[in-house]
């Protein structure tokens, strides 16, 4: 029996697509839902074209009531009955109640070598700090922003004259390799750190 994976997105969904492309054949999981807080997210159409159920819950009508938005997301997730939730460019900070509800079953990909550069503007911050390398991390989601156990990382050198956009463009293909690899292992109960380069 395949495990069920729900994927939460806010934009084009390139990491969602890489996860879905991997969940075929002998993979132990299948996508059961793609949910976005942005009704115009390009990733919703990409998921629908693959025959995956999609849901859009626009966060804007909820205003600053994050708990009410998270409750609506939880309702949609509970109907889909996922075993694992993958945050893939989901640009919302989740409430502690939400993270507690799904703890141990929720992954996120973050564009830095955690624990460095939690939050936003990670590539610019790595360049400004004079770091020799940057990359991405997949971690379990806990109540601490970008703070859960790290399950996988991939690294690239920071080159002289690098810009945040240029660095992001070199890291994105590694995100597309790392996230599916970590999800495969996570579903099998493997939690050891995976390093890709």
């Amino acid at each position: 029996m395949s495990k069920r994976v729900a994927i939460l997105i806010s934009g084009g969904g390139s990491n969602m697509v890489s996860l879905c492309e991997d969940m075929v054949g002998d993979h132990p999981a299948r996508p059961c839902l793609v949910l976005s807080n942005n009704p115009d997210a390009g990733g919703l159409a990409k998921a629908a074209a693959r025959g995956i159920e999609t849901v859009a819950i626009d966060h804007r009508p909820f205003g600053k009531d994050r708990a009410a938005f998270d409750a609506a997301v939880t309702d949609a997730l509970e109907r889909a009955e996922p075993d694992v939730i993958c945050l893939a460019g989901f640009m919302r900070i989740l409430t502690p109640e939400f993270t507690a509800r799904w703890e141990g079953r929720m992954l996120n990909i973050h564009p830095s070598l955690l624990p460095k550069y939690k939050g936003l503007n990670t590539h610019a911050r790595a360049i400004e700090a004079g770091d020799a390398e940057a990359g991405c991390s997949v971690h379990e989601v806990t109540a601490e922003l970008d703070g859960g156990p790290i399950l996988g990382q991939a690294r690239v050198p920071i080159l002289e004259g690098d810009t945040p956009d240029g660095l992001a463009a070199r890291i994105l293909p590694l995100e597309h390799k790392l996230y599916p690899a970590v999800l495969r292992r996570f579903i099998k109960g493997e939690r050891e750190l995976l390093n890709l380069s």
Side-chain angles (χ1 to χ4, degrees):
M1 185 72 180
S2 291
K3 298 288 188 182
R4 295 168 63 82
V5 177
I7 305 171
L8 275 54
I9 65 170
S10 293
S14 70
N15 270 306
M16 175 272 294
V17 169
S18 69
L19 290 170
C20 292
E21 285 177 345
D22 197 55
M23 282 189 271
V24 295
D26 65 353
H27 195 287
R30 293 291 183 270
C32 66
L33 177 70
V34 171
L35 182 148
S36 179
N37 64 300
N38 173 11
D40 301 320
L44 290 171
K46 294 173 189 171
R50 294 173 178 276
I52 303 165
E53 182 185 348
T54 62
V55 172
I57 301 174
D58 190 340
H59 66 273
R60 288 168 293 196
F62 293 91
K64 294 184 176 172
D65 192 347
R66 288 215 309 255
F69 171 75
D70 282 4
V73 172
T74 290
D75 286 346
L77 288 171
E78 285 177 342
R79 286 195 296 276
E81 299 181 328
D83 298 291
V84 177
I85 297 167
C86 290
L87 307 181
F90 188 64
M91 303 303 289
R92 303 296 300 163
I93 293 175
L94 300 165
T95 59
E97 293 76 18
F98 185 90
T99 54
R101 167 71 180 82
W102 302 103
E103 193 157 348
R105 294 192 281 160
M106 190 159 44
L107 302 178
N108 182 47
I109 188 154
H110 182 74
S112 80
L113 295 173
L114 292 172
K116 282 187 168 184
Y117 312 125
K118 298 176 182 182
L120 301 174
N121 304 316
T122 57
H123 304 313
R125 290 156 67 195
I127 291 169
E128 285 164 12
D131 290 358
E133 60 182 7
C136 54
S137 306
V138 176
H139 64 96
E140 287 192 55
V141 177
T142 62
E144 183 190 347
L145 179 67
D146 300 327
I150 298 166
L151 302 178
Q153 291 189 317
R155 299 162 188 272
V156 298
I158 295 178
L159 306 175
E160 192 172 341
D162 247 338
T163 64
D165 286 347
L167 187 54
R170 293 210 320 282
I171 291 171
L172 191 61
L174 291 175
E175 293 184 26
H176 294 165
K177 284 170 47 178
L178 180 67
Y179 210 171
V182 171
L183 177 62
R184 232 176 227 265
R185 290 158 55 103
F186 185 76
I187 283 168
K188 294 174 182 172
E190 298 173 19
R191 301 290 191 275
E192 300 81 21
L193 181 66
L194 173 66
N195 277 301
L196 292 184
S197 56

